[in-house]
Amino acid sequence: MNHDSKYNDFEYEKDNFPKTPEHFKQLVAAQVEKELKQTSVEKHRPRKKWFPAKVAAAVIVCAAVGTTGAYAGVKQYQAKSQEYLQESGRISTPESSSEEETSATSDTTASVTPATIVSEESGLVTTFSDTWPDVMLEMYDQDNEYQKQPNPYMNVIDAYYDGGLLSIYGEATPYGIKTLGDWFLPDRIVINDTVYLATWDINGLTDATHAQYKRGAFHATVELSDANLPDTCTVQVPLTTSRDPKTGYFYMQTISFNISGNANLKPSVTASAKNGATVTVGESKVSASGTYLSLTWNFGKDKASYEQFDKIISGNTIFNWIYCRITDSNGNTFDTKTDSETFSSVYFDLNSSEDEHWNTSGESTYVDDDGNYCFQTNILLPSLTQDFTSLEVTPYLHLEDGTETDLDFASFQVDYE
């Protein structure tokens, strides 16, 4: 785990999402600036601590020289979108995979819902458009600087979706390879007319002689653990170019496909901690890629209990932290110090100003509008893929010197039945 102090800065987290060229960043500056302004005028400003990243920084992927890959005649096709998630440790390795639309096997025998893995060999159908989705045009093309591009730069080869996580694998077309450096993949993906921030990666490949790199291979991952989506989604992958020095325009296109998958949504519930604090477990999502939990302790006017959390959150070292031990009704125990995953969920919806959504794994202390002292933490547990009927949670302090102390007064059990 990276404990560099810069990871304790909210602005650093926003500024270090996968980068796009300057012209594209200028188009989204208004949205980012609006979010920052909203934060700066918050009545009760929370103290926030962000989980350090556990995975390598993602990069914007441009196509590389080489030839396209072909999978014709392959009997047992292993989806690259799934392999990437396995290799990065985001999901567990399945026992088997077939050429048909199949399910990802979790690390437990009773995964709550299987993942959908669809490829060219199992009927993946993509649609090409020489423009962008309407929501992208409305949000970013304010000066009509983007023009249509009728020649596809890349193909989507396969995709993984389980209701909580979307992963896409693709390769450059012959035309895309021919026009290297002219086009790129912005860190945006549209799902059901909402723009999501995506993480692009080339699977850690930097060697131009690597076969996968030569094919212009790319991976895209969109964290959807806290997003509310229907079982079937339309995914649109926009592409753009640098500004053409001759025409002054940027050129755009989109590759689209439909994919189905679902997670088990558990309703928001409340419980009482041992000291009487009210604990709210927000709506949770359990999928083949893990479980998302949002926990909020409301200590009321009990400032003494609150300060045991706040002194860690407001401290000047990231080496002191508050973690949780979580035991589910199946007898599985998870420690957020070792079993949690960092995530960033960001999306923009022009249909509602309230749907400008920024959410990152981390923890915060704050005073609500009624003067109540609160502690909140967001948790993603990739290995919790079984359904459960109850959770027992005990927060604990982990200090820089290795000392750990259970905060038993704040422990609680929540039941879903």
Side-chain angles (χ1 to χ4, degrees), residues 38 57 86 92 157 173 201 205 217 223 228 242 270 310-311 320 343 386 388:
Q38 288 175 340
Q86 295 162 9
S92 58
I157 307 300
T173 64
D201 206 340
L205 300 176
E223 186 60 64
N228 186 12
S242 303
T270 59
D310 187 58
K311 66 182 180 182
N320 296 337
F343 71 94
Q386 277 184 284
F388 49 84

Side-chain angles (χ1 to χ4, degrees), residues 60-81:
I60 293 296
V61 180
C62 292
V65 295
T67 58
T68 56
Y71 294 103
V74 177
K75 296 296 183 181
Q76 297 295 326
Y77 177 72
Q78 176 66 41
K80 297 292 185 181
S81 56

Side-chain angles (χ1 to χ4, degrees), residues 27 31 136-146:
L27 296 177
Q31 278 74 19
M136 288 280 290
L137 292 173
E138 292 177 33
M139 191 174 290
Y140 303 130
D141 191 20
Q142 304 297 324
D143 300 316
N144 296 317
E145 293 184 311
Y146 282 80

